[in-house]
Amino acid sequence: MDEREAALRRAHDHAVRWLASLSDRPVPARAPVEEIVRALGAELPAGPSPPAEVVDLMATACEPGLTAFPGGRFYGFVVGGTEPAALAADWLVAAWDQNSVMRAVSPAHSAVEDIAGAWLLDLLGLPGGSAVGFTTGATMANFTCLAAARDALLGRAGWNVARDGLTGGPRLRVLAGEHRHLAVDLALRYLGLGEPEPVPADAQGRMDPTALRRSLADGGPERRPTLVVLQAGEIHSGAFDPFEETIPAAHEAGAWVHVDGAFGLWAAASPRHAALTAGCAAADSWATDAHKTLNVPYDCGLAVVRDPAALRTAMGLHGAYLIHDEHGDPIDKVPELSRRGRAFTVWAALRSLGRSGVADLVDRLCRHARAFATGIADIDGATVLNDVVFTQVCARFGDDARTDRVLEHLLADGTAWITGSTWHGHRVLRISVSNWSTTDADVDRTLDAIRRAATAT
Ligand SMILES: *Cc1c(COP(=O)(O)O)cnc(C)c1O
């Protein structure tokens, strides 16, 4: 057996052991950064080591510092686990080492990207023929879509951003819900668009359509080019903006409408939950993640733009580059040039789940979220604060201090990991059910742990 094969076999064994440990290991990491640094050794070795030994050292030294993200009882932030087919596909992505930049040199990746892209549009109910770019996550997917929006809107106003930059051009107006994700602000900042004007929302974080209409009308007689950013899935409540009212209003005012649907856009793939996204397909661009609800490994986001030419204007290489394909290349749809074959994992997850599997996944996550809401509402002194319409549950235990103590107990207990957050000025426990492998038993074990934490405080 050569050195490479030996290293791969070790990696395989460590991976299988790690995955088997997920159902019973404590969810939070047990060792802090310094301890892992000590175990690894901070000194750069003077010379080479056998690859298999390096893999062994990394796996053993790092193990106590790993959080059980891919397990069924991690409910922090909004993250997903890894579907088995997607995980195995990701190993091949590393072994194949395809630079997925151009159709001519990586036909296999381009084929998979074309197929997976078309499947995504179908499942998410988005217009066929839209361009689908595979990015590192929803932050970059938002960035990619908003770059297309910026260039198209300024282009319509007679300004060529690609050639002349932003300085001296018309100033774009950006309206976004007051409960948007901060990733939208990051993307706008990277694009030189500054902070958006916040549009008021209701208690669940849904944009108020009357307030949007008012803001659009306030644009003044000279009417600046306008971008409206909506949201499918608010991180605290899981709520969706009212697309059927907001998108036509924004379009009437000549605006480009973008939807940040990092985890929520997947509601469209479930007949039971698709009503949450009603009207959403009328927008001009959509950002979502594959590494959240779809459960592919990090990192993978999806930028969808209705008008492929607009995306190409913003992201494409202007000028002949090596062996450019006349139909456009993957690099024409995302910020990076050289990049890994991200579409392979998305294709594998979708091919493995099929249409009904994706719908079942979404329905299961939502069902677990409702079970959490019901279970928590029965705990003495606990209140569920949001309408549980999707995968998010926000709960409070009396006052801020007790809510924080419950969280502290829960994390020390180690059964589950839940994010502490602040919503409407109050401390809350925020549960996000995003992992394909979460079972009813995981939910029960977590509810028991929450009950223990509540009793102890
Ligand atoms: C997670 C999330 C983002 C950011 O996505 P990343 O994949 O972490 O870059 C943006 N918007 C919403 C609503 C999110 O939940």
Side-chain angles (χ1 to χ4, degrees):
M1 195 163 39
D2 73 1
E3 284 202 321
R4 183 169 59 199
E5 195 176 336
L8 284 171
R9 283 180 193 278
R10 293 293 177 85
H12 168 271
D13 294 347
H14 286 297
V16 169
R17 241 193 320 274
W18 154 252
L19 294 171
S21 79
L22 291 172
S23 61
D24 288 309
R25 67 184 292 123
V27 180
R30 298 191 304 279
V33 176
E34 308 74 54
E35 203 176 310
I36 308 301
V37 169
R38 255 195 316 278
L40 287 167
E43 207 140 309
L44 175 66
S49 317
E53 275 178 30
V54 175
V55 171
D56 280 341
L57 170 65
M58 185 175 98
T60 342
C62 289
E63 197 269 348
L66 297 175
T67 298
F69 278 108
R73 294 186 309 283
F74 187 92
Y75 308 105
F77 319 111
V78 183
V79 307
T82 40
E83 280 283 347
L87 174 57
D90 204 45
W91 287 5
L92 280 180
V93 169
W96 286 347
D97 197 25
Q98 302 291 291
N99 188 334
S100 65
V101 70
M102 278 176 280
R103 296 179 85 86
V105 282
S106 37
H109 184 266
S110 283
V112 162
E113 187 172 297
D114 288 351
I115 296 171
W119 285 352
L120 285 160
L121 296 178
D122 178 7
L123 286 169
L124 301 177
L126 301 179
S130 301
V132 184
F134 289 71
T135 64
T136 51
T139 304
M140 286 315 286
N142 277 305
F143 169 84
T144 302
C145 293
L146 294 172
R150 179 195 65 181
D151 293 13
L153 284 167
L154 293 178
R156 276 183 226 156
W159 188 262
N160 184 333
V161 185
R163 194 188 56 213
D164 301 323
L166 288 172
T167 311
R171 188 160 158 74
L172 206 71
R173 227 185 143 202
V174 186
L175 304 175
E178 62 175 333
H179 289 291
R180 67 192 175 274
H181 195 281
L182 282 176
V184 169
D185 295 57
L186 273 183
L188 292 170
R189 196 202 301 165
Y190 301 158
L191 289 163
L193 296 178
E195 287 177 14
E197 296 173 37
V199 180
D202 68 10
Q204 298 298 317
R206 283 178 299 234
M207 183 184 280
D208 172 358
T210 311
L212 174 66
R213 262 186 235 107
R214 205 175 306 123
S215 295
L216 288 164
D218 282 349
E222 81 280 34
R223 192 162 267 178
R224 277 157 51 196
T226 303
L227 170 57
V228 173
V229 182
L230 302 175
Q231 180 165 258
E234 203 271 344
I235 45 170
H236 285 99
S237 66
F240 293 66
D241 282 341
F243 303 115
E244 282 176 316
E245 295 165 85
T246 49
I247 296 179
H251 278 160
E252 266 164 45
W256 175 296
V257 181
H258 170 70
V259 178
D260 173 15
F263 64 97
L265 208 55
W266 293 87
S270 148
R272 259 190 225 165
H273 293 91
L276 292 167
T277 61
C280 179
D284 301 288
S285 59
W286 307 262
T288 190
D289 262 320
H291 60 216
K292 290 180 179 170
T293 314
L294 184 61
N295 280 257
V296 310
Y298 296 110
D299 38 25
C300 192
L302 302 158
V304 183
V305 179
R306 177 189 291 274
D307 175 8
L311 182 56
R312 196 166 173 176
T313 301
M315 289 293 152
L317 287 166
H318 302 171
Y321 181 75
L322 305 176
I323 38 178
H324 215 189
D325 192 283
E326 59 176 310
H327 303 297
D329 276 310
I331 46 168
D332 294 325
K333 298 186 286 185
V334 292
E336 300 91 1
L337 296 191
S338 297
R339 64 202 183 106
R340 75 201 311 269
R342 274 199 189 89
F344 287 120
T345 58
V346 173
W347 178 87
L350 295 176
R351 178 69 178 75
S352 162
L353 289 165
R355 190 183 298 279
S356 69
V358 177
D360 288 347
L361 167 62
V362 171
D363 291 346
R364 201 161 66 239
L365 303 178
C366 295
R367 179 166 57 79
H368 291 321
R370 290 193 300 271
F372 271 119
T374 310
I376 291 172
D378 278 345
I379 300 175
D380 219 21
T383 323
V384 173
L385 299 179
N386 63 311
D387 298 340
V388 180
V389 295
F390 198 54
T391 55
Q392 308 300 102
V393 182
C394 270
R396 181 166 165 74
F397 295 78
D399 55 16
D400 283 358
R402 177 158 181 237
T403 303
D404 278 339
R405 282 200 304 277
V406 169
L407 186 68
E408 238 169 72
H409 272 269
L410 189 74
L411 295 184
D413 173 281
T415 302
W417 208 104
I418 291 173
T419 309
S421 183
T422 301
W423 194 41
H424 293 310
H426 297 300
R427 295 294 295 158
V428 296
L429 261 69
R430 192 181 76 199
I431 297 171
S432 167
V433 191
S434 314
N435 192 304
W436 71 280
S437 69
T438 298
T439 60
D440 291 340
D442 283 322
V443 174
D444 289 342
R445 276 172 73 179
T446 304
L447 279 168
D448 283 343
I450 298 174
R451 267 181 227 112
R452 284 197 297 278
T455 309
T457 51

